[in-house]
Structure formats: C-alpha cells, structure tokens
Amino acid sequence: MKKVILFFFVALQTICSQIKIGGNVKDTDKMPLFGASVYIDGTTIGTTTDENGDFTLMVPTTINSVIVISYFGFNTQYVDITTVKNDLDIVLTEEVKSLKEVVVQQSPFSRKQMLQFFREQFLGTNTAGTNCTIENEEEIYFDYDSKNFVFRAYSDKPLIIINDYLSYKVTYQLVEFKCTFYKISIKVSDMLSSLYAGTSFFTEIENGKKFLKRRETSYKGSSLHFFRNLVINKWGKDDFLLFEGRFTTNPDDHFTISKDQNNTYYKIEIAKQNKNFSKKGLVAEFSILYNKKEQSKISFFTNTFYIDKFGLFSNYNSIYFSGDITKRKIGDLLPSDYGL
C-alpha cells in the first residue's frame, strides 16, 4: 500500500489576539545581519531584519509552531514559539560547505528523468501542481540507492516556488524527500512509500476572485479541511464521512476531544480498534469519503495527539494518509493561517 506522510500544518478558528515577539539577529562576531528572513513556519507571517539586525513579529497567541531564522551563507535556526518568554537574541553561525555523505554510484536514471519524477511527486500532477514553477531547480540534486531502491532529493538553498494557480510565492526549505520502491524504478506504480518534509513561507502575489475560488477548491477535501472538521466534530455526506471497513461509523465512538485546563490545546484520544493489525504500532485505521466521491484512508500509529487553537497538531509522523487526499501536494498547499 502506498503511504504518504504529509508534512502539513492546519488552522481552526479566527485569531482573536496576538503577541509581539521581537529580537535581534547577528553573526558570531556580533555584527548585525541586515535582511535576514524571520517567519513562522507554514504561514504568511514573516519579516526581515533591519540594518541593526532587529525584527518584530506579531504572532497569534498559543500558536504551536516554530520561528525560522535564515540568512544566506549561515545555518538556519529554529525557535519553538511556546518557549519564547523574552526578546530573542539570535546568533547565526556561518555555514561550512561540505559534500553530503551519500554513496557515489552511477545512477540508473538521467537527471532529466529524476527531475521530472521529483516535480510530479513534490508539486503534484493536477492543475495546481502543473501550474507551479521552481525558479531555482539547479539547486536540487539527487541520489538513487540501487541496492535499497531509494530515491532522495536535496537542496542546500530554499526552493523558490511560484504557484500561478493559487497565486502564491512559496519559499520552501526542503528538509527531506524520500521515495522507496520495490525494485529499481522511479515509476509511481512501483512506489511503496513517499515522504517529503520542510519549512515554508508564503507570500501572496494576487488575491483576485479567481484565485480565492481556486484556493477554496484546494482547501476543500484536503488534510487541512479534515483536521479542522475533526476538532469541531463536523461530519456529513457533503463533508467527510468516516468508515470502519465497508460501513460508516460514528466518529464519537473513536475520537474523544477535550481541552486542557488553560483552554489552550485540544487533546484527541483515539480508541484502539479490536483488530489484529499486521502493521506494528497501528492503533486505528479508517476510510474517509469526501463529498461522496473522494476516497482516502487514514492510519493512526498513536492513540493521542494534540491540536492547538491555531490548529497545529502534534505527532505528524504518526498519522498516515493514502488515497485521493494525497494527490494534493505542494501545488495545493495553503498557508496554515488560510481563512483566518
């Protein structure tokens, strides 16, 4: 069964308050870095440092994400927003250029073939995906492990993606891209699993009616949509239906949703299914049907995860999707503050 780990952040409700996070970015010689990028991963919320290296961000309260601080030629830093108590004093260290430790071997595929496969699996093959352009594709390099049938892609610099369909410019730092096959191949039909992960920052290009409509189309039936509905317990034939086996099932029998004492996080508890799963650690597995036509599957390898008021959820590497929902790739990706 093909499985795709989707590295997506989701949002739930209108933000009613914000906090200000300020700070300074400098190098190891204590010289301020002018023009360093500072942004909240997966959102449109970001800024750059001034000539003194100072920055200010207005951040939604109780958001469970990371602040990404990057500057060309320096190692990127990540700061958990929930740990921030005072102004940030960021010192970036100079990046040491070195070759990645990969096995040097003759690839059975040309760069052209591997680049095309990467585009399809990363951006998507639907209308949104095929209307995306990676401006700096020359920064991407590939490795194919012929012994273990594993294809990997890397980029030392953030990928600059122009999404003409949704009218966003996306700066995407690729952390991992890995596809595993059952034989030497880069055909989708031979693929066993696919994983991509990274940090992203969205800049809106245009917001005309046609782009707003397209964004809503990309949102409907997405994992973003699914998790928002899960928390507010919204199900139905025109939204999502949950199936256990071949039959619809009541989500209340499987998901217990509660809030912590500070009314900050939603706790999602999943009842373990009484089945002998062949997959180790699998707690529960459901089919989901969106709008009577899009069929997907979701597998939980955890019995508990958390969602904050902004909608960011924990245990993303323990929740697997497959089916129609995984056809929405970077081309359909929306910022986590979409609709707020």
Side-chain angles (χ1 to χ4, degrees), residues 89-257:
D89 187 16
I90 305 296
V91 178
L92 296 184
T93 57
E94 204 164 351
E95 185 178 18
V96 178
K97 295 292 184 181
S98 61
L99 294 175
K100 288 192 180 290
E101 295 180 3
V102 296
V103 178
V104 179
Q105 58 181 322
Q106 182 65 41
S107 173
F109 308 103
S110 67
R111 174 174 173 80
K112 181 178 179 180
Q113 289 174 310
M114 292 188 288
L115 184 57
Q116 181 60 33
F117 176 78
F118 175 79
R119 290 189 193 116
E120 293 172 355
Q121 290 302 305
F122 183 62
L123 300 174
T125 57
N126 60 6
T127 303
T130 55
N131 277 276
C132 288
T133 304
I134 303 175
E135 289 192 332
N136 55 341
E137 285 185 340
E138 69 279 1
E139 299 294 341
I140 308 170
Y141 53 103
F142 307 104
D143 171 62
Y144 194 95
D145 182 349
S146 298
K147 182 179 179 179
N148 296 301
F149 317 137
V150 177
F151 171 86
R152 290 184 173 88
Y154 309 90
S155 178
D156 295 324
K157 295 180 181 179
L159 300 179
I160 307 302
I161 304 164
I162 303 300
N163 188 332
D164 288 328
Y165 184 72
L166 300 182
S167 197
Y168 284 118
K169 174 184 176 182
V170 185
T171 302
Y172 195 96
Q173 181 63 64
L174 187 67
V175 173
E176 184 172 12
F177 182 93
K178 175 183 175 182
C179 296
T180 304
F181 302 84
Y182 73 86
K183 65 178 183 179
I184 295 178
S185 173
I186 51 172
K187 292 181 179 180
V188 174
S189 58
D190 298 326
M191 190 168 64
L192 296 174
S193 64
S194 173
L195 178 153
Y196 62 85
T199 63
S200 57
F201 176 65
F202 291 75
T203 303
E204 188 175 67
I205 300 172
E206 294 183 52
N207 63 355
K209 288 184 178 180
K210 71 174 181 180
F211 298 118
L212 296 178
K213 185 177 180 179
R214 289 173 181 176
R215 291 171 193 172
E216 186 67 7
T217 299
S218 289
Y219 166 72
K220 293 293 188 181
S222 66
S223 59
L224 175 66
H225 188 192
F226 175 80
F227 279 109
R228 287 183 177 181
N229 279 26
L230 172 63
V231 169
I232 63 176
N233 200 24
K234 182 181 180 183
W235 304 86
K237 61 182 181 179
D238 295 324
D239 281 290
F240 292 96
L241 289 174
L242 193 72
F243 286 77
E244 188 174 18
R246 294 181 299 165
F247 303 99
T248 56
T249 185
N250 185 352
D252 291 337
D253 294 337
H254 306 284
F255 303 106
T256 301
I257 303 172

Side-chain angles (χ1 to χ4, degrees), residues 217 220-222 239-241 287-297 323-328:
T217 299
K220 293 293 188 181
S222 66
D239 281 290
F240 292 96
L241 289 174
S287 294
I288 49 179
L289 180 68
Y290 174 69
N291 199 23
K292 308 174 190 174
K293 56 184 179 182
E294 295 182 20
Q295 300 182 34
S296 304
K297 183 175 287 186
D324 284 333
I325 205 167
T326 65
K327 295 177 182 178
R328 303 165 187 264

Side-chain angles (χ1 to χ4, degrees), residues 231-329:
V231 169
I232 63 176
N233 200 24
K234 182 181 180 183
W235 304 86
K237 61 182 181 179
D238 295 324
D239 281 290
F240 292 96
L241 289 174
L242 193 72
F243 286 77
E244 188 174 18
R246 294 181 299 165
F247 303 99
T248 56
T249 185
N250 185 352
D252 291 337
D253 294 337
H254 306 284
F255 303 106
T256 301
I257 303 172
S258 59
K259 292 183 180 181
D260 69 351
Q261 292 181 348
N262 296 323
N263 203 30
T264 302
Y265 296 102
Y266 296 89
K267 181 180 181 181
I268 315 297
E269 296 177 275
I270 305 163
K272 184 172 177 58
Q273 290 174 334
N274 186 24
K275 296 180 180 179
N276 293 320
F277 291 115
S278 59
K279 291 172 256 184
K280 185 178 179 180
L282 183 59
V283 174
E285 191 169 64
F286 304 97
S287 294
I288 49 179
L289 180 68
Y290 174 69
N291 199 23
K292 308 174 190 174
K293 56 184 179 182
E294 295 182 20
Q295 300 182 34
S296 304
K297 183 175 287 186
I298 185 168
S299 305
F300 293 95
F301 287 81
T302 179
N303 56 14
T304 304
F305 67 101
Y306 297 86
I307 301 177
D308 67 15
K309 287 187 175 181
F310 195 69
L312 307 181
F313 61 94
S314 64
N315 301 73
Y316 69 86
N317 57 348
S318 299
I319 301 172
Y320 293 76
F321 284 101
S322 60
D324 284 333
I325 205 167
T326 65
K327 295 177 182 178
R328 303 165 187 264
K329 299 184 184 295

